[in-house]
């Protein structure tokens, strides 16, 4: 159980692992996630189920090495086991059966958007995807996204590939150019999802986002993942992770995501894991 069967480096800081876990593979749906621990005294970290295979009993995780736990996870090799992994957690994404959906993925957010696009495409929904990263070397899962999109747009902040600018700028260009769509799904860092929502708000275009607050238990008991949506408190682990982005209190979500930044920096610098260089 939890053995790593495949490991790929997608970019210098992004890794894909395929993990054996028949229980999670049997129940996983697009939009759900797992919580795992790499070592006995380690923290729990949530990662989205980027893909699953019920016949092979596997789940695919794609993660960016941003701090201690993801650096340690990235050090595990094929044949190693993840100490604990629970899931699937969260509510499966509510996906339409017809119409046109624009899927917007920023950075490692392309991984969580992939299973949604696959399912939409399978249902016969028209999928227009916009994926982006800081530069061309950081674009991930391009072929996989192309395979489940009717149109794929690539954006880079530095213009090294495709459209020069943010994914939200590309979305605005498409909408202003007459794009007709029923809803938008955006997954990525908070500033990217927030900018996408501000782009679609004037058009009244329904926009779903996948929130990624700090989580601890993942079962709705600790309150760590609290956000405010439409003036009401929501726990992302049990009420989400997908929410109507026009209703999210982004300023609060941003503040809470950075609550432990100093401690996270110290954790990397003081470990012998090769981080903090
Ligand atoms: P740290 O240095 O500890 O933290 C870096 C930043 O990550 C923090 O500032 C904080 O914003 C966030 N973070 C820290 N601890 C946690 C925690 N326990 N829970 C959530 N966020 C935390 N990342 C991916 O690369 N791929 C994914 O598929 C993915 N899916 C996610 C799905 C959900 C539902 C959520 C909530 C988060 C997801 N994340 C994903 C983010 C991932 O959990 C964090 O990057 C990871 O926990 C960072 O841990 P760290 O110790 O390496 O970094
Ligand atoms: Fe504890 Fe959501 S992670 S309530
Ligand atoms: Mg951490």
């Amino acid at each position: 159980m939890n053995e790593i069967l495949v490991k790929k480096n997608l970019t210098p800081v992004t890794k894909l692992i395929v993990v054996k876990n028949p229980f999670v593979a049997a129940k996983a749906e697009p939009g759900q996630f797992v919580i795992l621990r790499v070592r006995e005294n380690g923290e729990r970290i949530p990662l989205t189920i980027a893909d699953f295979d019920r016949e092979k009993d596997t789940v695919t995780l794609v993660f960016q090495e941003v701090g201690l736990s993801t650096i340690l996870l990235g050090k595990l090799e094929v044949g190693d086991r993840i100490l604990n992994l629970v899931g699937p957690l969260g509510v499966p994404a509510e996906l339409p059966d017809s119409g046109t959906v624009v899927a917007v993925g920023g950075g490692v957010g392309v991984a969580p958007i992939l299973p949604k696009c696959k399912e939409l495409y399978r249902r016969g929904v028209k999928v227009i995807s916009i994926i982006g990263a800081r530069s061309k070397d950081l674009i991930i899962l391009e072929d996989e996204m192309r395979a489940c999109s009717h149109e794929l747009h690539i954006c880079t902040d530095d213009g090294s590939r495709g459209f020069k600018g943010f994914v939200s700028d590309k979305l605005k260009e498409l909408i202003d150019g007459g794009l007709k769509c029923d809803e938008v799904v955006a997954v990525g860092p908070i500033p990217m999802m927030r900018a996408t929502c501000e782009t679609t708000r004037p058009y009244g275009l329904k926009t779903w986002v996948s929130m990624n607050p700090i989580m601890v238990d993942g079962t709705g008991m600790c309150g760590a993942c609290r956000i405010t949506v439409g003036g009401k408190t929501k726990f992302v682990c049990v009420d989400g992770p997908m929410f109507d982005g026009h209703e999210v209190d982004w300023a609060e979500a941003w503040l809470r995501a950075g609550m432990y930044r100093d401690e996270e920096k110290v954790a990397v610098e003081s470990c012998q894991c090769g981080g903090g260089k």
Side-chain angles (χ1 to χ4, degrees):
M1 180 82 89
N2 300 339
E3 186 182 357
I4 296 179
L5 303 180
V6 177
K7 180 180 179 188
K8 285 186 201 162
N9 294 329
L10 300 185
T11 79
V13 289
T14 318
K15 295 192 163 70
L16 175 153
I17 52 175
V18 178
V19 183
K20 183 100 176 167
N21 187 310
F23 301 112
V24 179
K27 299 272 168 130
E29 297 290 347
Q32 292 186 295
F33 61 95
V34 296
I35 287 194
L36 60 85
R37 269 196 323 162
V38 182
R39 57 180 186 176
E40 194 57 51
N41 297 320
E43 63 186 347
R44 297 145 177 253
I45 58 163
L47 292 177
T48 306
I49 301 170
D51 203 356
F52 51 87
D53 188 325
R54 303 210 202 282
E55 264 141 47
K56 294 189 182 145
D57 295 334
T58 58
V59 289
T60 302
L61 307 175
V62 175
F63 59 95
Q64 196 166 341
E65 295 179 356
V66 292
L68 182 56
S69 299
T70 46
I71 290 172
L72 293 174
L73 181 62
K75 292 199 175 303
L76 298 183
E77 298 296 344
V78 169
D80 290 341
R81 281 171 208 279
I82 294 170
L83 183 67
N84 333 106
L85 182 147
V86 294
L89 299 168
V91 182
E94 267 179 51
L95 300 172
D97 290 309
S98 59
T100 302
V101 171
V102 178
V104 187
V108 76
V110 176
I113 214 140
L114 177 64
K116 299 180 187 75
C117 292
K118 272 192 177 175
E119 179 58 21
L120 288 165
Y121 193 83
R122 195 190 65 74
R123 292 182 185 192
V125 174
K126 182 170 181 193
V127 181
I128 299 174
S129 300
I130 307 174
I131 62 172
R134 283 202 311 280
S135 70
K136 68 174 188 310
D137 306 330
L138 300 174
I139 296 280
I140 59 167
L141 303 170
E142 178 182 340
D143 293 343
E144 291 82 350
M145 284 297 293
R146 200 177 293 284
C148 55
S149 305
H150 297 86
E151 255 178 59
L152 177 74
H153 301 273
I154 293 177
C155 311
T156 49
D157 298 359
D158 64 1
S160 51
R161 178 95 195 275
F163 175 86
K164 183 177 190 303
F166 297 134
V167 283
S168 49
D169 300 331
K170 181 69 198 177
L171 176 63
K172 178 153 181 32
E173 188 189 85
L174 293 176
I175 297 173
D176 288 343
L179 168 85
K180 293 272 173 289
C181 77
D182 300 292
E183 54 187 75
V184 173
V185 183
V187 189
I190 288 177
M192 174 252 148
M193 292 193 288
R194 186 179 191 172
T196 303
C197 291
E198 292 319 320
T199 301
T200 57
R201 199 189 294 275
Y203 302 91
L205 190 52
K206 182 85 173 176
T207 304
W208 294 99
V209 293
S210 186
M211 295 305 289
N212 47 12
I214 292 176
M215 289 189 178
V216 181
D217 69 325
T219 59
M221 288 191 283
C222 71
C225 67
R226 172 171 69 77
I227 62 166
T228 306
V229 183
K232 295 203 175 93
T233 296
K234 296 283 174 188
F235 291 160
V236 174
C237 65
V238 288
D239 299 323
M242 305 292 295
F243 294 95
D244 178 343
H246 294 155
E247 298 281 317
V248 169
D249 181 338
W250 291 103
E252 180 198 55
W254 177 248
L255 262 179
R256 289 183 60 77
M259 261 165 62
Y260 299 106
R261 228 160 253 154
D262 292 345
E263 289 83 352
E264 286 154 355
K265 197 159 168 264
V266 170
V268 174
E269 285 169 354
S270 59
C271 90
Q272 306 293 311
C273 60
K277 283 182 283 191

